C-alpha cells in the first residue's frame, strides 16, 4: 500500500529505526536503574530483557493493526468506535503527548538547574527551547526525523562510561537468580516508562514509504534500546550497591564524575548539557503528533494549532516548581503508559481481529 501522504513528506522504511530508537532511548535513562535494582538487585538485567521482549510483542500487535487497516490510529479510532467516541480517544492522546513534552522539558531544565546554574529561572530556558522546537516542528516530519538522526551523536557520551573501569566491582553481579520471579517482574514493570515511545508509530504510519517493510526496523530499534539499557544497568550494578542508589537521583549523571581528562575538569557538565540531544527529538515528535491529531479532529492547519500547544506546554512547565511535582508527573505518565501499552493496544488488537472475522463471515 502506498502512503496517503505526498511522497515528499514520507520517509524510507529504515528511518523507522531512528524514529523509534530516538523516542525510546530518552533522558529517562539517567534515573532508570534506581527502582529496578532496588527491587531485583543484581538480577535486574533479567527484568530489562523481559520488558524488551514484551515491547517486541506490542510492536508486532501494532503493525498487525496498522497493516490491516492501512491507516494511522487517528482514523482507526473513528472506524472502530465512531466519530464521537473515536474523537474522544484521539483527544486523550493529545493530552498524553503534551504531558510527555512537559515532563521531558521540565526534567531537562531541572538537570541544568541542579548541575550547572542553581539560580536559573525555569521560564527563560523553557521559552528558548520551545522556540527551537517550534522551528523544527514547523519544518515538517522529515526535518524532525533528521533531528532524531543527529541526536545519535549522544552515544559519544555513553562511551565515556567505560572510563571508570578501575572502580568496577564485578562481585556486585553475583549471585545470579537470587531474587524471586515476582520481584523480577515487578522490576520489569518499573522499566515500562523508559521503553515508552513506540506508540508514536501509531500516528506516523502514513508518513512511512512502504510501511509494511519498516516492521523489522522497528524491532531492531527496540532491540538496540534493550541492549543499551542492559549496558546502563550493568554499569549501575558495577559502580553502585542497591542501598547506594536510594540516595542517587540521577545515577547515570553521577557516573560522569568518575571521568577525568587533562583538558576537561568537570566532565559531568558535558554529560548534563548533552541531555538536550535526548530531549529535543522526543519533544518535537510529541508536539508533532499532538498537533497532527488536532489538525485531523478540528480541521485546522497544523501550524495554526502548534503555537497554542507550545503555550500550553510552557505554562505547565512553569507551574511545576520542583522535584516532588516532577516525580509525581513521572509516576502519572508511567502509569498511563503502562496501561496504554499492556492494556489498550492489545484491546484494539483484539477488536481488530474480531472485526476482521465478522466481516469474513458476513
Amino acid at each position: 500500500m502506498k502512503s496517503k501522504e505526498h511522497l515528499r513528506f514520507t520517509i524510507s522504511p529504515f528511518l523507522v529505526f531512528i524514529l523509534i530508537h530516538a523516542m525510546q532511548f530518552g533522558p529517562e535513562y539517567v534515573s532508570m536503574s534506581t527502582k529496578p535494582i532496588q527491587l531485583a538487585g543484581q538480577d535486574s538485567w533479567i527484568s530489562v530483557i523481559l520488558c524488551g521482549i514484551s515491547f517486541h510483542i506490542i510492536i508486532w500487535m501494532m503493525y498487525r493493526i496498522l497493516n490491516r487497516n492501512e491507516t494511522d490510529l487517528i482514523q482507526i479510532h473513528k472506524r472502530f468506535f465512531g466519530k464521537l467516541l473515536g474523537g474522544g480517544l484521539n483527544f486523550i492522546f493529545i493530552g498524553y503527548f503534551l504531558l510527555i513534552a512537559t515532563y521531558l522539558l521540565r526534567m531537562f531544565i531541572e538537570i541544568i538547574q541542579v548541575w550547572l546554574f542553581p539560580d536559573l529561572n525555569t521560564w527563560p530556558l523553557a521559552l528558548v527551547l520551545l522556540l527551537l522546537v517550534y522551528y523544527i516542528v514547523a519544518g515538517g516530519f522529515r526535518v524532525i526525523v533528521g533531528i532524531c538522526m543527529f541526536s545519535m551523536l549522544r552515544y559519544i557520551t555513553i562511551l565515556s562510561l567505560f572510563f571508570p573501569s578501575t572502580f568496577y566491582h564485578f562481585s556486585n553481579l553475583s549471585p545470579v537468580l537470587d531474587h524471586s520471579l515476582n520481584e523480577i517482574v515487578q522490576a520489569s514493570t518499573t522499566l515500562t516508562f523508559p521503553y515508552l515511545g513506540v506508540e508514536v508509530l501509531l500516528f506516523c504510519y502514513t508518513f512511512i514509504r512502504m510501511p509494511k517493510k519498516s516492521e523489522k526496523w522497528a524491532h531492531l530499534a527496540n532491540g538496540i534500546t534493550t541492549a543499551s539499557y542492559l549496558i546502563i544497568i550493568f554499569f549501575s550494578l558495577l559502580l553502585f550497591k542497591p542501598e547506594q542508589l536510594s540516595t542517587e537521583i540521577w545515577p547515570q549523571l553521577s557516573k560522569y564524575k568518575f571521568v577525568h581528562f587533562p583538558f576537561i575538569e568537570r566532565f559531568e557538565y558535558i554529560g548534563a548539557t548533552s541531555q538536550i540531544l535526548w530531549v529535543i527529538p522526543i519533544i518535537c515528535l510529541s508536539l508533532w503528533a499532538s498537533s497532527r491529531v488536532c489538525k485531523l479532529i478540528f480541521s485546522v492547519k497544523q501550524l495554526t494549532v502548534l503555537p497554542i500547544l507550545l503555550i500550553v506546554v510552557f505554562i505547565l512547565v512553569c507551574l511545576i516548581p520542583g522535584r516532588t511535582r516532577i516525580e509525581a508527573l513521572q509516576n502519572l505518565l508511567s502509569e498511563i503508559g503502562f496501561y496504554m501499552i499492556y492494556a489498550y493496544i492489545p484491546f484494539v488488537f483484539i477488536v481488530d481481529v474480531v472485526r476482521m472475522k465478522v466481516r469474513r463471515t458476513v
Side-chain angles (χ1 to χ4, degrees), residues 41-243:
Q42 68 276 14
D43 293 324
S44 54
W45 61 271
I46 304 175
S47 302
V48 176
I49 295 175
L50 289 177
C51 194
I53 293 173
S54 68
F55 268 77
H56 278 297
I57 298 172
I58 296 300
I59 291 172
W60 178 84
M61 287 184 179
M62 288 167 54
Y63 268 96
R64 299 289 79 74
I65 298 169
L66 295 168
N67 289 340
R68 278 197 289 259
N69 291 276
E70 299 185 331
T71 187
D72 56 28
L73 186 64
I74 305 170
Q75 303 300 330
I76 291 173
H77 275 156
K78 294 180 180 179
R79 189 177 298 175
F80 285 10
F81 308 109
K83 185 176 181 180
L84 186 62
L85 181 57
L89 291 171
N90 288 330
F91 192 79
I92 290 174
F93 276 94
I94 296 174
Y96 170 72
F97 283 115
L98 288 179
L99 285 178
I100 288 179
T102 301
Y103 166 74
L104 291 176
L105 183 57
R106 187 62 185 91
M107 178 185 176
F108 173 71
I109 293 174
E110 186 195 22
I111 290 174
I112 298 300
Q113 289 171 332
V114 171
W115 288 81
L116 277 80
F117 306 110
D119 297 326
L120 178 68
N121 290 324
T122 300
W123 73 265
L125 186 55
L127 180 62
V128 171
L129 291 175
L130 287 175
L131 287 175
L132 175 62
V133 169
Y134 175 80
Y135 178 76
I136 295 171
V137 177
F141 182 69
R142 287 166 62 95
V143 174
I144 298 174
V145 175
I147 294 297
C148 293
M149 185 177 295
F150 177 76
S151 71
M152 293 296 109
L153 290 173
R154 59 196 178 181
Y155 273 101
I156 296 174
T157 59
I158 292 197
L159 291 175
S160 65
L161 296 179
F162 287 95
F163 282 83
S165 58
T166 55
F167 300 97
Y168 291 165
H169 299 281
F170 288 93
S171 59
N172 292 348
L173 299 177
S174 60
V176 180
L177 296 176
D178 190 45
H179 294 78
S180 66
L181 179 61
N182 183 48
E183 290 173 325
I184 293 174
V185 171
Q186 283 183 346
S188 67
T189 59
T190 65
L191 289 165
T192 303
F193 186 62
Y195 271 94
L196 290 178
V198 297
E199 64 276 8
V200 75
L201 184 68
L202 296 168
F203 298 90
C204 64
Y205 180 81
T206 57
F207 286 83
I208 305 170
R209 206 173 305 145
M210 296 178 292
K212 294 181 180 180
K213 294 185 178 181
S214 66
E215 183 174 359
K216 61 181 179 181
W217 296 104
H219 284 289
L220 179 60
N222 186 66
I224 296 297
T225 300
T226 302
S228 301
Y229 286 161
L230 274 174
I231 293 173
I232 290 170
I233 287 290
F234 279 127
F235 277 146
S236 298
L237 288 169
L238 292 172
L239 282 172
F240 302 104
K241 292 183 178 180
E243 54 271 18

Side-chain angles (χ1 to χ4, degrees), residues 215-342:
E215 183 174 359
K216 61 181 179 181
W217 296 104
H219 284 289
L220 179 60
N222 186 66
I224 296 297
T225 300
T226 302
S228 301
Y229 286 161
L230 274 174
I231 293 173
I232 290 170
I233 287 290
F234 279 127
F235 277 146
S236 298
L237 288 169
L238 292 172
L239 282 172
F240 302 104
K241 292 183 178 180
E243 54 271 18
Q244 290 176 309
L245 283 172
S246 60
T247 62
E248 292 286 342
I249 299 176
W250 303 298
Q252 314 314 320
L253 293 180
S254 298
K255 294 173 187 176
Y256 290 125
K257 292 181 179 180
F258 294 91
V259 182
H260 298 284
F261 292 103
F263 52 91
I264 300 177
E265 185 177 355
R266 300 294 297 271
F267 188 81
E268 60 268 25
Y269 289 174
I270 296 177
T273 54
S274 68
Q275 300 308 307
I276 194 171
L277 296 174
W278 277 265
V279 169
I280 289 298
I282 303 178
I283 295 177
C284 289
L285 280 167
S286 298
L287 284 166
W288 176 86
S290 58
S291 60
R292 176 164 173 78
V293 176
C294 288
K295 171 187 174 181
L296 297 178
I297 289 180
F298 303 111
S299 300
V300 295
K301 291 184 178 181
Q302 199 163 347
L303 288 181
T304 302
V305 74
L306 179 59
I308 299 174
L309 298 180
L310 288 170
I311 292 172
V312 171
V313 172
F314 177 75
I315 294 173
L316 290 175
V317 167
C318 294
L319 290 177
I320 301 176
R323 184 70 208 160
T324 304
R325 294 289 180 85
I326 295 173
E327 287 185 349
L329 181 56
Q330 178 183 351
N331 293 333
L332 174 63
L333 282 171
S334 180
E335 188 171 353
I336 294 173
F338 179 84
Y339 287 108
M340 179 184 63
I341 292 295
Y342 295 115

